[in-house]
Amino acid sequence: MCSEEVLSDQPAGRGSETVATRQSILVLEDSQTQGNLISKMFVECGADVQLVSTAREFSMSPDLFDQKFSAAIIDVHFGEVSGLKLIEPVSRRWPAIVNVMMTANSTDDYAVLAEARNLGAHLVLKKPFDKVRVSDLLKDIESIQITGRPRQHVVVIDDSKTSCRIATEVLRSYGYRVSGFQTGEDAIRQLNFDHVDAVLTDLNMPGMPGEELICLVRDVWENIGIIAMSADASNKTRFKEADAFLPKPFGAEELIHTVGGVLAKDVEVLDC
């Protein structure tokens, strides 16, 4: 059975319900071994899958274009062909399809993935991934089909592994899509190519401090909600560039209430 998130009786994020529609997935992966593993995970999560391993097979198979697909999982490096060049023909043949760019998570791919988003890619799937991530992705695909956009995406940044993990698990249990990072630098790379609705960041971190990260996010992505976390309560009045302040330690109810409040209102652009 596919692993699924534990969901609350009071969903807060879009797509908090389990996947109800059986998806038909087109996987464009040039490695037959990886393609088979990926296909197996999607099938075990309740999807139908068609694997294509070469550009020739994609362009020359009449049976393929007669099929109906709800989503395409496109490897960024599809053999000798850039996955970017496949977004347009895939979207032209299946206008309602959800395009997902798949990457090996190399830092060299960030600029490529940013371009993929501009070309019409809806989501990003980073290798390696497991069935839990596949189940999560299927929920986002269904959310796009129903609402026109993926579930609300919250990025959590905390250099404490324990704090980051707990906040991530709580938010996921309420139906949010969540990405957790332990450095501001890694989080910024995520924001560069992936849609993000809110950032929850600790203020005191090595490397890029929370204050600098918040100012950068506000300057570049002005519509993203920002929540600052700190064990120092004085930061609540000293540092006002964030949309909300969450004192540490905090409980699950306080976390969900704060995130929900920030996502429910328009974010005011503030000067840093």
Side-chain angles (χ1 to χ4, degrees):
M1 294 294 293
C2 173
S3 300
E4 294 186 354
E5 297 169 345
V6 179
L7 301 177
S8 167
D9 292 333
Q10 296 179 328
R14 287 186 178 92
S16 57
E17 67 282 349
T18 56
V19 176
T21 303
R22 188 174 184 87
Q23 303 291 343
S24 180
I25 308 296
L26 172 64
V27 176
L28 302 178
E29 166 60 65
D30 61 320
S31 167
Q32 189 71 44
T33 300
Q34 290 190 32
N36 288 335
L37 291 173
I38 292 167
S39 299
K40 183 174 183 287
M41 283 191 282
F42 274 96
V43 169
E44 290 178 349
C45 285
D48 297 320
V49 178
Q50 175 68 52
L51 173 63
V52 174
S53 300
T54 67
R56 178 180 176 83
E57 182 183 358
F58 172 74
S59 60
M60 302 295 290
S61 174
D63 293 339
L64 180 68
F65 289 94
D66 288 336
Q67 298 183 49
K68 294 182 179 180
F69 296 105
S70 54
I73 314 298
I74 307 172
D75 194 3
V76 168
H77 305 293
F78 187 58
E80 297 181 355
V81 178
S82 168
L84 298 175
K85 295 183 178 180
L86 297 176
I87 296 175
E88 191 275 333
V90 166
S91 299
R92 185 175 64 248
R93 175 59 187 86
W94 299 282
I97 202 165
V98 176
N99 287 307
V100 182
M101 293 306 299
M102 186 165 53
T103 170
N105 202 22
S106 165
T107 54
D108 294 335
D109 281 334
Y110 286 118
V112 176
L113 291 171
E115 184 179 354
R117 181 183 60 183
N118 293 332
L119 291 172
H122 300 87
L123 299 165
V124 172
L125 182 61
K126 296 179 182 178
K127 299 176 183 176
F129 51 86
D130 56 17
K131 288 189 291 184
V132 174
R133 178 67 186 100
V134 170
S135 176
D136 203 43
L137 180 70
L138 289 171
K139 294 172 187 175
D140 280 325
I141 290 171
E142 185 172 63
S143 178
I144 290 173
Q145 293 166 340
I146 295 172
T147 69
R149 58 156 293 162
R151 294 173 301 159
Q152 290 174 311
H153 185 192
V154 181
V155 168
V156 177
I157 311 149
D158 197 320
D159 59 311
S160 166
K161 289 184 178 180
T162 301
S163 296
C164 187
R165 177 181 57 80
I166 292 174
T168 297
E169 290 178 354
V170 170
L171 289 167
R172 281 178 177 161
S173 74
Y174 275 76
Y176 292 108
R177 178 186 171 206
V178 187
S179 300
F181 300 93
Q182 290 181 260
T183 70
E185 291 83 355
D186 286 342
I188 290 299
R189 294 191 187 102
Q190 177 83 5
L191 270 65
N192 271 330
F193 63 81
D194 204 359
H195 177 84
V196 175
D197 295 285
V199 169
L200 175 66
T201 181
D202 190 23
L203 292 179
N204 301 311
M205 297 185 295
M208 179 186 292
E211 291 92 338
E212 180 181 342
L213 184 143
I214 289 173
C215 287
L216 178 59
V217 171
R218 184 64 79 221
D219 285 343
V220 181
W221 301 279
E222 61 184 37
N223 293 321
I224 292 179
I226 301 174
I227 302 166
M229 300 183 289
S230 178
D232 184 355
S234 66
N235 283 321
K236 182 175 183 178
T237 56
R238 182 179 65 83
F239 192 72
K240 298 182 179 180
E241 285 80 2
D243 298 290
F245 179 80
L246 195 58
K248 289 183 173 181
F250 50 81
E253 184 176 348
E254 187 177 6
L255 172 62
I256 294 302
H257 175 77
T258 303
V259 172
V262 168
L263 289 172
K265 69 178 182 179
D266 292 330
V267 177
E268 180 184 0
V269 180
L270 301 174
D271 294 329
C272 290

